[in-house]
């Protein structure tokens, strides 16, 4: 766990007193179970036999020729459900079941975390309720239908900007009101301690597999690892096992409509430190400390905060954080679809866009791995609407 719940100066537990007992219980039970052989064995079974791990490491011949270096994709899009989210939802749902919790609640933006939570609840026999902003419900109708098909109850949230921030607010209120029998299955490396550490640990399977697969295929580690960053779970899952290695780590945020307050979701490149949803981290906020509106073409990156460990890594300059605009993301979405026959999620298209727009920075012998965090089926109708 992070020392005292902090990564450097970021993190903590900025929550109402009514939640503290539940957070202490969660931390204690996670420490007890995370290395327990039976818990590890059960989770390993679900990851392999239900989720379909390990996911492939795919060499992209055509994109490599275009960029002038060797490019691989870590295929979290091929995980059951179509995104990396299931790594964390299976882990937390199993943890909650071992703790004796009877119900799961969650927030979701793009809907992939909601789908992953609904899947985990179904396979483990736990009822699930999902909070989702009305605007995101409209943008991600297919995922709302999938959640309901999997047995989850979806609560559209009409307050604020009707997006992920407001859905998270509602989920936290529900958690405070039902903490005795309910586990709040947070979907990213955000929120109060111990959630950022728990989610990171469950997602680190991405980076651990990537290291092993590179050693098997190339006999060495990649030179560069790239992942998109909203809350930051797929990115920290990819980066954490390589933090001490000689690998350049690059996180790509939502550049939206470009620079300017309210036009993007680039928290680490345009925000400043503050408290949101129980933790101190970089935030999009105005000069008075009010949380600002954000914009991204991808619902999953339309969030004004980011995981506290990312904030620490930014300050340490261990990870380079950049951004991609909506138009650059659409070009990347189309490029990978046409050149490799793989339709990426708009979230993942941010990482692909970075490599395409910065291809001149890479040497001929460089090996680059991109975390393809999710598949783009959910985004096809939205992109078709934008492109007419």
């Amino acid at each position: 766990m992070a020392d005292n719940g902090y990564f450097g100066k970021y993190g903590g537990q900025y929550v109402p007193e009514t939640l503290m007992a539940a957070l202490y219980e969660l931390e204690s039970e996670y420490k007890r179970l995370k290395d327990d052989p039976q818990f590890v064995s059960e989770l390993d079974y679900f990851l392999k036999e239900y989720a379909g791990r390990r996911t492939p490491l795919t060499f992209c011949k055509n994109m490599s020729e275009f960029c002038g270096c060797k490019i691989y994709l870590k295929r979290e899009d091929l995980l059951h459900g179509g995104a990396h989210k299931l790594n964390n939802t299976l882990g937390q749902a199993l943890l909650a079941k071992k703790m004796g919790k009877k119900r799961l609640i969650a927030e979701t933006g793009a809907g992939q975390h909601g789908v992953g939570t609904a899947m985990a609840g179904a396979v483990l026999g736990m009822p699930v309720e999902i909070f989702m902003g009305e605007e995101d419900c409209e943008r991600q109708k297919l995922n709302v239908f999938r959640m309901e098909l999997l047995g989850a109850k979806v609560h559209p949230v009409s307050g604020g900007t009707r997006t992920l921030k407001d859905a998270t607010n509602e989920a936290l209120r529900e958690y405070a009101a039902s903490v005795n029998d309910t586990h709040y299955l947070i979907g990213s490396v955000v929120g109060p301690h111990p959630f950022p550490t728990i989610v990171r640990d469950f997602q680190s399977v991405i980076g651990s597999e990537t290291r092993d697969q590179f050693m098997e295929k190339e006999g060495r580690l990649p030179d560069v690892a790239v992942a998109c960053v909203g809350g930051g779970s797929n990115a920290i899952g990819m980066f954490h096992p390589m933090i001490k290695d000689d690998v350049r780590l690059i996180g790509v945020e939502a550049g939206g409509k470009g620079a300017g307050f309210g036009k993007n979701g680039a928290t680490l490149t345009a925000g400043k430190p503050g408290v949101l949803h129980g933790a101190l981290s970089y935030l999009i906020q105005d000069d008075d400390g009010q949380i600002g509106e954000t914009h991204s073409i991808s619902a999953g990156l339309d969030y004004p905060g980011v995981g506290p460990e990312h904030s620490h890594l930014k300050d340490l300059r261990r990870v380079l954080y950049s951004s991609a605009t909506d138009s650059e993301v659409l070009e990347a979405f189309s490029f990978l679809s046409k050149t490799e026959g793989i339709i990426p999620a708009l979230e993942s298209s941010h990482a692909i866009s970075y490599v395409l727009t910065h291809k001149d920075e890479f040497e001929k012998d460089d090996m680059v791995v991109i975390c393809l965090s999710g598949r783009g089926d959910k985004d096809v109708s939205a992109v078709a609407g934008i492109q007419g």
Side-chain angles (χ1 to χ4, degrees):
M1 311 290 280
D3 292 337
N4 300 318
Y6 284 89
F7 302 92
K9 67 180 183 181
Y10 302 102
Q13 294 174 315
Y14 298 85
V15 297
E17 187 177 346
T18 52
L19 286 180
M20 290 306 297
L23 295 177
Y24 289 148
E25 179 195 21
L26 179 60
E27 179 180 9
S28 174
E29 288 295 285
Y30 180 64
K31 284 181 175 177
R32 181 178 70 83
L33 288 167
K34 68 185 184 73
D35 296 319
D36 176 78
Q38 184 176 352
F39 179 82
V40 172
S41 176
E42 286 186 50
L43 180 57
D44 188 57
Y45 167 80
F46 282 111
L47 290 174
K48 288 180 178 176
E49 304 296 333
Y50 180 74
R53 300 214 73 89
R54 66 182 186 176
T55 59
L57 183 69
T58 302
F59 174 62
C60 295
K61 179 177 180 295
N62 299 323
M63 186 174 176
S64 294
E65 289 177 357
F66 178 81
C67 293
C69 59
K70 208 166 185 178
I71 295 172
Y72 285 88
L73 300 178
K74 179 57 175 168
R75 302 293 304 280
E76 295 301 291
D77 61 315
L78 295 181
L79 199 67
H80 180 44
H84 70 291
K85 296 294 187 180
L86 195 59
N87 301 319
N88 170 52
T89 61
L90 283 173
Q92 282 199 56
L94 186 61
L95 175 62
K97 194 175 181 74
K98 298 288 185 184
M99 291 170 62
K101 301 297 182 183
K102 305 299 183 187
R103 183 176 73 132
L104 302 174
I105 61 172
E107 85 298 328
T108 194
Q112 290 299 98
H113 174 59
V115 170
T117 304
M119 286 179 169
V123 75
L124 290 171
M126 302 180 74
V128 173
E129 297 187 34
I130 305 291
F131 295 85
M132 187 172 187
E134 283 186 340
E135 181 173 329
D136 292 338
C137 289
E138 182 63 28
R139 288 195 286 186
Q140 300 292 341
K141 288 181 180 177
L142 177 61
N143 273 339
V144 173
F145 180 75
R146 293 170 76 197
M147 284 181 261
E148 293 174 340
L149 186 64
L150 291 160
K153 183 176 182 180
V154 179
H155 297 279
V157 176
S158 58
T161 57
R162 303 181 300 137
T163 57
L164 180 57
K165 171 176 69 71
D166 310 293
T168 304
N169 288 338
E170 286 302 311
L172 278 168
R173 289 191 190 99
E174 176 63 21
Y175 186 38
S178 58
V179 70
N180 289 334
D181 67 349
T182 298
H183 176 68
Y184 178 16
L185 206 161
I186 287 185
S188 193
V189 285
V190 299
H193 175 74
F195 282 106
T197 300
I198 290 175
V199 178
R200 179 200 69 194
D201 290 353
F202 287 139
Q203 291 292 3
S204 289
V205 65
I206 301 172
S208 296
E209 283 184 7
T210 301
R211 292 182 95 264
D212 293 345
Q213 290 168 314
F214 256 90
M215 293 305 294
E216 293 167 10
K217 287 177 180 282
E218 298 287 355
R220 68 179 179 88
L221 297 178
D223 299 287
V224 184
V226 188
C228 66
V229 178
S233 66
N234 92 95
I236 209 72
M238 171 67 88
F239 296 163
H240 186 68
M242 293 189 265
I243 286 288
K244 296 181 180 178
D245 297 320
D246 184 21
V247 178
R248 288 171 56 199
L249 306 175
I250 299 170
V252 188
E253 298 189 296
K257 297 176 181 176
F261 192 68
K263 294 183 176 180
N264 59 66
T267 308
L268 288 161
T269 50
K272 55 187 178 182
V275 173
L276 177 66
H277 296 148
L280 175 65
S281 192
Y282 274 80
L283 310 175
I284 300 290
Q285 55 187 313
D286 63 20
D287 292 337
D288 296 324
Q290 297 298 310
I291 304 302
E293 293 187 8
T294 55
H295 166 78
S296 173
I297 193 172
S298 57
L301 303 189
D302 195 357
Y303 181 65
V306 68
E309 190 167 4
H310 282 293
S311 295
H312 182 51
L313 293 171
K314 168 189 166 68
D315 285 1
L316 293 177
R317 298 185 179 182
R318 176 62 187 93
V319 179
L320 170 67
Y321 293 96
S322 183
S323 63
T325 65
D326 288 351
S327 59
E328 291 170 335
V329 167
L330 286 172
E331 289 179 12
F333 181 88
S334 177
F335 178 92
L336 196 73
S337 300
K338 291 177 178 175
T339 60
E340 300 291 347
I342 298 171
I343 302 174
L346 286 173
E347 288 82 0
S348 313
S349 299
H350 286 70
I352 296 160
S353 174
Y354 180 90
V355 176
L356 292 174
T357 56
H358 294 78
K359 62 186 179 69
D360 292 340
E361 294 179 3
F362 303 117
E363 302 292 333
K364 180 181 178 182
D365 295 331
D366 277 350
M367 288 192 286
V368 179
V369 60
I370 303 170
C371 184
L372 195 66
S373 57
R375 70 186 187 211
D377 306 43
K378 66 184 179 61
D379 297 315
V380 168
S381 61
V383 172
I386 293 170
Q387 295 181 334

